[in-house]
Amino acid sequence: MTEQPTERVTVMIVDDQPPFRAAARAVIDRVPGFELVAEVASGEEAVETSSTVAPHLVLMDINMGELDGIEATRLITRDNPAIKVILVSTYGLDDLPSGARTSGAIAYVNKDELSPRVIRRLWESGGDPDWP
């Protein structure tokens, strides 16, 4: 018998591409105890929504319009340090844009590697021990 988490982890997905939001939603739906509470398409929306919804976890795309995911992460974690952000994009770890590691995010995950197991491990460990 698998233990079910007693804590409900609320999640917000931030990505300007509907197909990735759908893929991330499918991943979150398969993580026991995790619940999607918001889905937005821009950094600006992410900052605004996080201030009202206050999710426990944000999956944040890096490349988006005016306010990119790195700066949105910086603003969200500055205003509410309890919110954990995982940056997601298609970059290789060595090719991340400057500022990604100092944005306040707890980890970076390539979109191709996003899975329920990865989300659960990062949440339970508090982030990637090699990050930043």
Side-chain angles (χ1 to χ4, degrees):
M1 179 193 305
T2 304
E3 279 189 43
Q4 295 298 317
T6 56
E7 172 186 3
R8 183 179 135 242
V9 180
T10 57
V11 181
M12 177 169 69
I13 295 169
V14 184
D15 198 292
D16 59 348
Q17 299 295 317
F20 180 75
R21 289 196 309 269
R25 186 179 333 113
V27 168
I28 295 303
D29 285 347
R30 293 187 353 245
V31 183
F34 283 53
E35 177 186 354
L36 182 65
V37 294
E39 193 176 306
V40 299
S42 71
E44 294 86 355
E45 287 180 289
V47 172
E48 181 179 328
T49 303
S50 70
S51 70
T52 57
V53 174
H56 296 114
L57 179 65
V58 177
L59 299 181
M60 177 77 73
D61 184 28
I62 291 177
N63 293 316
M64 297 178 291
E66 295 275 323
L67 184 63
D68 70 18
I70 293 169
E71 189 57 29
T73 296
R74 197 175 317 285
L75 294 170
I76 289 168
T77 59
R78 179 198 70 198
D79 293 346
N80 189 341
I83 297 175
K84 305 298 182 210
V85 179
I86 297 173
L87 294 173
V88 291
S89 195
T90 56
Y91 292 101
L93 198 55
D94 294 336
D95 298 323
L96 284 171
S98 65
R101 289 184 179 273
T102 59
S103 65
I106 63 168
Y108 169 74
V109 176
N110 186 288
K111 287 182 176 182
D112 292 337
E113 297 169 5
L114 192 65
S115 70
R117 181 188 57 77
V118 168
I119 297 295
R120 167 70 62 201
R121 178 180 55 81
L122 289 171
W123 177 257
E124 289 177 352
S125 68
D128 183 341
D130 297 325
W131 184 267

